[in-house]
Amino acid sequence: MPQSPLTEADIVEAERELGLPFPGEYRAYLREVSAGGALLPLERTGCGWWWAGNDEVRRALLTTPFPHPDSYADADAELMAREPRPGAFEDDAAYQEARGAWEDEADRFEDVKTAGAVVIQEHGCGFSTVLALTGPLAGTVWWDGRATCDLIVPLSLDHAGGAQPVRFGQWLDHGSWALLPPGWGPSVDETGAGRRAAQP
């Protein structure tokens, strides 16, 4: 079902309630095009304004600046190096306790990787497109590929030249599949489908 655009009053209310201004291009899309369309809609719920399909865990982290994946690479490697191994414990109970504590820490760390961002499209199999809403990267669009490769990568027009992440308006013009790193998405012949998917 098509989603009507939001009014300026709706957007102001949502920004005030969520505690952040929306990036300009995304704000214009909400006001001039649709509250959702091909995107997961921003809507007023019983718990206030929120994006359909997004975990409520994101709400607590929404005003935290979205981190560039390079910024936590070392911490991620250090966490993985500390993964408990059964042979390092006297008995299974001690291992299970340590394992549980480590998994809780790892889950919290994964949540922080998408702080300040929301999912704007789901692609199935655990893949999604996320829009950064806060921090220096606000307004840029990223691919969450952690389902298979444990990575969040920029969607970019120039992966060979530094992989500068695209902004929301550029993403609308191309779609996620066409902006993935080489070898990550469909063949060149299929990218038109990805481009159409991003458009309302």
Side-chain angles (χ1 to χ4, degrees), residues 40-41 43 50-56 58 119 122:
L40 294 176
E43 56 194 8
W50 193 240
W51 289 266
N54 276 260
D55 194 313
E56 282 287 335
R58 294 178 187 272
V119 175
E122 292 280 6

Side-chain angles (χ1 to χ4, degrees), residues 163-182:
Q164 181 71 24
V166 295
R167 302 198 65 78
F168 180 76
Q170 295 171 306
W171 174 77
L172 284 176
D173 289 339
H174 295 275
S176 296
W177 297 112
L179 297 168
L180 284 165

Side-chain angles (χ1 to χ4, degrees), residues 43-159:
E43 56 194 8
R44 189 186 284 113
T45 72
C47 299
W49 286 95
W50 193 240
W51 289 266
N54 276 260
D55 194 313
E56 282 287 335
V57 169
R58 294 178 187 272
R59 187 182 293 269
L61 295 169
L62 195 60
T63 57
T64 301
F66 176 74
H68 192 289
D70 290 348
S71 70
Y72 52 74
D74 289 345
D76 208 3
E78 189 273 335
L79 177 64
M80 293 307 297
R82 290 192 288 106
E83 182 178 0
R85 308 293 179 186
F89 296 87
E90 293 182 1
D91 55 44
D92 187 61
Y95 165 69
Q96 293 299 336
E97 181 178 359
R99 180 78 192 181
W102 182 87
E103 288 179 350
D104 288 344
E105 182 182 358
D107 287 345
R108 290 191 298 272
F109 191 81
E110 290 301 315
D111 290 338
V112 170
K113 291 179 180 179
T114 53
V118 292
V119 175
I120 53 173
Q121 273 189 346
E122 292 280 6
H123 303 289
C125 300
F127 301 119
S128 61
T129 297
V130 298
L131 171 65
L133 296 176
T134 56
L137 294 169
T140 58
V141 186
W142 300 73
W143 178 265
D144 188 344
R146 289 177 292 174
T148 58
C149 65
D150 292 329
L151 295 175
I152 295 172
V153 297
L155 292 171
S156 179
L157 292 164
D158 186 16
H159 284 283

